[in-house]
Every structure is written in C-alpha cells, then in structure tokens.
Amino acid sequence: MNNYDVVVIGGGPGGLAAAISAKKEGAGVLLIEREARLGGILKQCIHDGFGLLHFGEKLSGPEYVERFEKEFHSLKIPCELLTFVTKIEEAGKEKKITYVNRKGVFSCMAKTIVLATGCRERTAKQVWIHGTRPSGVYTAGTAQHFVNLLGQMPARRCVILGSGDIGLIMARRLTLEGAKVCGVYEAKPTPSGLTRNIVQCLEDFQIPLYLSHTVTRVFGESRLTAVEISKVDEKMRPIKGTETVVECDALILSVGLIPENEMAESLDVQIDSKTKGPFCDEQFMTSVPGVFTCGNALHVNDLVDYVSESGLLAGKAAAHYQGEALETVELAADSSLLYLVPQRIRRETCAGENKAILYFRSREERKTAVFQILSGDKVLFEKKYRNLKPPEMERLELDAGLIPPEASVTVRLVERGMEK
C-alpha cells in the first residue's frame, strides 16, 4: 500500500492546480480522476474567455487546461485515470482511500485529501416537468458534449430552459451550427447568467430571452415534438391561462449546477445549505481535519480562474498541514448575501499579517452597496460596490488582521448611505 502526503480526487482545473501546488511544496501527491482524460468540463468548452485573470489572455477551455496539464506532467505527479474512489476511512491521523479501476481494487494512505470533484447539472427530474419521457431532452452540458466532442447535432429546432451560462453558450453554439433556437426561457425575473453572455450569446444573435416563463409540459412519445410554456408569478408558480405550445425537437436544460459532494458527506463533512458545498476556512480545509476542498465542489464559480486559484491555495495548505487542531472565527453572512465563502477564518490567521480571500454573491441586484464586516456594532471592514448581481460572483482580498481572533463576526451588504 502506497503512502502519500496529499491525494487529490478530481482531475479538472481545480484538482490539477491543487496537485501542482502541493507537489511544488514538496509533498508526495497522487491524483485520482474518473474520466479517461484530465481537464474536467473544460475539454468540451471550445469557446474563448478563459484565463483572463490567471494568464492575462483569452484562451479556449482546452487551451487553458492544457497549460496546467503540461505543468502537471512535467512534475511527474502520479495519476490514476478511469478510476473511482469507493471509500475513504479514518486510519489514525491519516485517511485510507480505496479505489477501483480496470486493473483491480487498490488502497493507499494519505495525510490529507483535496476534494476537487466539481459539480453536476440539474436534470429534468429535478425541475418537475410534466409529460412523457421522449428522447430530445438534454442538459446543456450533454448537448455541448454532443456538438463539441462527438460532432453530432442534438437538435434542429430547440427550446432552452434556464439562462445559466452553459445554456446561453449553447444557444449561440447551436445557432452557429444551423439550428433554430426558439427562445431561452427563465423562471426568475432576472437572468441567471453573466451579462457578457447575455449580450454575446443572445442579443448578438437575436435569440429572444423570456423572463418569468418556464416549461410546464413536454409532448411526444419516442421523440420530443413540442413543449408547453407558461408564465410564472413572483413565487415562480405557473399562471393558469398563460400556456402556449412551442414546436421543437429538443429541450435543453440549463437550470443550475450542484457541487458533487457525496464523498464529502460520506466523511461527515459539514455542508453549507446555501452553497451546497462544504463549510471551510480561508485555507479551504473543511470541518473534518485534513480534508480540503476547492473549485466547483466548494461552490459554483463563474470563472475557471477562481477555480484554479482555490485549487492552488488548497493544495499548498494540504501539503503543509501537520494535523494540528485549529480554532476559527465564524463569518456569519446575513440574508443580504446569497452566500459567503469561506465561512470561517483561522484564529492564527487573524493574529498575524495575513491575507484571506473571500468570495460572495449578493442575494438581489443592487446599484450601489457597501460590503461590511462587523463585530457587534463595530465596523471592522467595508468596501463599496456598484451593480452587484446574483449571477456575478465577487472576489475580495481581506487583511485578516482586521478581525480580532476572539470576535463574533457578521458580514452583510447595505445600501450606500445606510451604512450606520
């Protein structure tokens, strides 16, 4: 049985960054990936826009991940592909990891683990669409896989439900390949994707976006023939009498992403109901000592650059973890925030001249707002923002020394001029 300092589970952009970072810190590293190739979802993201923050240039998804793959292989980090982790067990101060592949069933020991398992798409079963189960209903990621990797057209005339970024990108991609996109329908009163994707993928191609609309029924036996569209009220409930039928041969779902955290839950890692990912500190260690997380397994990121950033930080922290017990200061986000990551900061970080990176989303659109960290009524930190939107995540670098190690801390957003 082999022994490692760090075992990274997941070979997407977050896992690659974590493995590289840990190796550079002198750790013995193993990376386990369930697919036949490294790279995660970026293998099929042939559009550009990746790497502006990390590399300072626009790259396609494969170009972005190729740079990490080259560095990963240059460091001669061992990697198990087409491999599934079946169990993780406590073994004293270490973790015993059991995994299976075509060569058999194996186990290894690890001082620390980095969970970089990414996220998955919500399916038709999770949005309660009535009707039969005809072929022609796909998630946006599946449709992207068909077009970009297999060279197959899943639709000639389609409807897209949900305005998430993958759905918007597929609206453009299918249009460029000759399909007719009848419209993008979003149940919320505001779009779920980035503003730049609304403009570049819909407006530039004259694809209509219908807000406060959803698909309530599908038609067809062996193949989808049409969908029923209904308007929804402020609670996103269909309004009777507003139904219209749109003929199409495909329904593409872009109705949200969920962090893959079954493995974390099997370890009794504390999960945040807001992010659907683990609670963690500023070094991305979860509530279970020695178990770290990063990327979309932690929370769904807008940009892959932030996925890589969290992977680099998590890998470095995992390489240096010595099994010590750590006390933390809780960052209690109020209802003005959709979520805040990390949810806690180590007291030893607050006691020194250290930086902590925070990621957050506003619960609602705000033209002007002030981000505040408070201890009681005392404002410890504040920063002004403009045009905050729930789909667009914000990144903030904080001087952790501003937070007293024994403080009880609240984080909130308030309207400009109402800070006190």
Side-chain angles (χ1 to χ4, degrees):
M1 186 184 301
N2 291 324
N3 291 273
Y4 298 95
D5 298 312
V6 181
V7 170
V8 178
I9 303 174
L16 283 169
I20 289 168
S21 178
K23 182 67 175 181
K24 286 183 174 180
E25 296 299 317
V29 181
L30 171 68
L31 186 144
I32 298 174
E33 166 57 40
R34 66 185 178 186
E35 295 189 4
R37 293 171 52 199
L38 297 172
I41 194 67
L42 291 193
K43 297 191 297 290
Q44 66 188 49
C45 298
I46 64 174
H47 53 282
D48 66 8
F50 302 95
L52 283 169
L53 299 178
H54 192 83
F55 293 112
E57 57 183 304
K58 282 200 300 184
L59 303 170
S60 69
E63 287 173 326
Y64 180 93
V65 80
E66 182 185 30
R67 298 193 179 188
F68 282 91
E69 280 189 84
K70 285 182 176 179
E71 187 173 12
F72 176 85
H73 291 305
S74 73
L75 293 170
K76 295 182 170 55
I77 301 171
C79 175
E80 293 287 350
L81 299 175
L82 288 173
T83 300
F84 292 80
V85 173
T86 59
K87 187 186 292 186
I88 303 176
E89 303 170 277
E90 295 284 349
K93 293 184 177 180
E94 297 188 343
K95 308 287 188 294
K96 180 182 178 183
I97 302 166
T98 302
Y99 57 91
V100 61
N101 55 35
R102 289 180 292 184
K103 294 176 285 187
V105 180
F106 304 91
S107 295
C108 67
M109 301 297 293
K111 293 179 181 178
T112 59
I113 295 172
V114 179
L115 299 174
T117 47
C119 59
R120 66 176 182 269
E121 296 178 280
R122 286 189 173 92
T123 66
K125 282 291 184 182
Q126 293 168 295
V127 290
W128 303 102
I129 299 173
H130 295 288
T132 55
R133 297 182 63 184
S135 63
V137 180
Y138 310 96
T139 64
T142 300
Q144 188 181 58
H145 178 83
F146 273 118
V147 177
N148 293 349
L149 293 186
L150 303 182
Q152 301 288 332
M153 277 293 286
R156 289 298 174 189
R157 181 181 176 87
C158 70
V159 163
I160 296 179
L161 175 61
S163 58
D165 289 308
I166 303 177
L168 300 177
I169 288 164
M170 283 311 297
R172 176 180 63 185
R173 186 79 178 99
L174 289 166
T175 299
L176 289 170
E177 291 296 331
K180 169 65 177 177
V181 179
C182 302
V184 175
Y185 296 86
E186 171 58 59
K188 297 176 183 177
T190 56
S192 297
L194 296 172
T195 301
R196 73 182 191 193
N197 285 331
I198 298 291
V199 173
Q200 296 173 4
C201 300
L202 299 188
E203 294 177 7
D204 288 355
F205 290 85
Q206 298 180 330
I207 299 170
L209 171 63
Y210 300 94
L211 300 174
S212 298
H213 284 73
T214 192
V215 173
T216 47
R217 190 177 177 187
V218 297
F219 301 93
E221 294 298 330
S222 62
R223 178 76 191 193
L224 185 73
T225 58
V227 297
E228 179 186 83
I229 306 290
S230 300
K231 292 182 180 179
V232 298
D233 59 21
E234 64 276 3
K235 295 184 178 179
M236 292 191 287
R237 296 175 300 194
I239 302 171
K240 289 185 178 181
T242 63
E243 302 89 350
T244 59
V245 174
V246 179
E247 293 185 357
C248 59
D249 63 2
L251 171 63
I252 295 174
L253 305 174
S254 181
V255 289
L257 302 168
I258 307 171
E260 290 264 20
N261 275 306
E262 288 77 11
M263 204 172 297
E265 290 172 342
S266 74
L267 292 167
D268 293 326
V269 168
Q270 186 183 5
I271 301 296
D272 187 342
S273 61
K274 297 177 181 178
T275 63
K276 304 298 188 292
F279 280 89
C280 69
D281 61 28
E282 82 289 352
Q283 294 191 7
F284 300 97
M285 190 168 79
T286 69
S287 60
V288 175
V291 178
F292 295 76
T293 183
C294 66
N296 287 342
L298 173 59
H299 64 117
V300 178
N301 291 255
D302 301 340
L303 304 176
V304 70
D305 306 73
Y306 294 144
V307 170
S308 298
E309 179 180 54
S310 65
L312 292 169
L313 293 170
K316 180 178 180 180
H320 289 287
Y321 180 67
Q322 298 297 318
E324 66 274 21
L326 299 168
E327 295 184 348
T328 59
V329 177
E330 300 293 323
L331 302 179
D334 79 356
S335 59
S336 62
L337 294 169
L338 199 57
Y339 70 73
L340 174 74
V341 173
Q343 298 88 348
R344 49 181 68 114
I345 294 181
R346 298 181 184 190
R347 287 183 177 177
E348 62 181 31
T349 301
C350 298
E353 295 181 3
N354 301 298
K355 298 290 184 182
I357 297 173
L358 306 182
Y359 306 94
F360 71 90
R361 295 181 192 269
S362 174
R363 181 170 295 278
E364 57 189 41
E365 290 191 6
R366 294 175 180 268
K367 294 295 183 184
T368 59
V370 180
F371 177 90
Q372 291 186 329
I373 300 176
L374 304 97
S375 178
D377 294 328
K378 182 181 179 182
V379 177
L380 305 175
F381 173 86
E382 64 180 18
K383 182 177 179 180
K384 296 178 180 179
Y385 284 91
R386 288 182 177 274
N387 298 319
L388 291 177
K389 298 179 180 180
E392 298 180 7
M393 189 182 75
E394 299 293 334
R395 176 191 181 276
L396 170 66
E397 194 166 304
L398 175 70
D399 179 1
L402 295 172
I403 300 177
E406 304 297 327
S408 174
V409 175
T410 303
V411 183
R412 68 179 185 181
L413 284 169
V414 295
E415 292 293 332
R416 186 86 55 87
M418 299 177 66
E419 296 93 330
K420 302 301 182 184

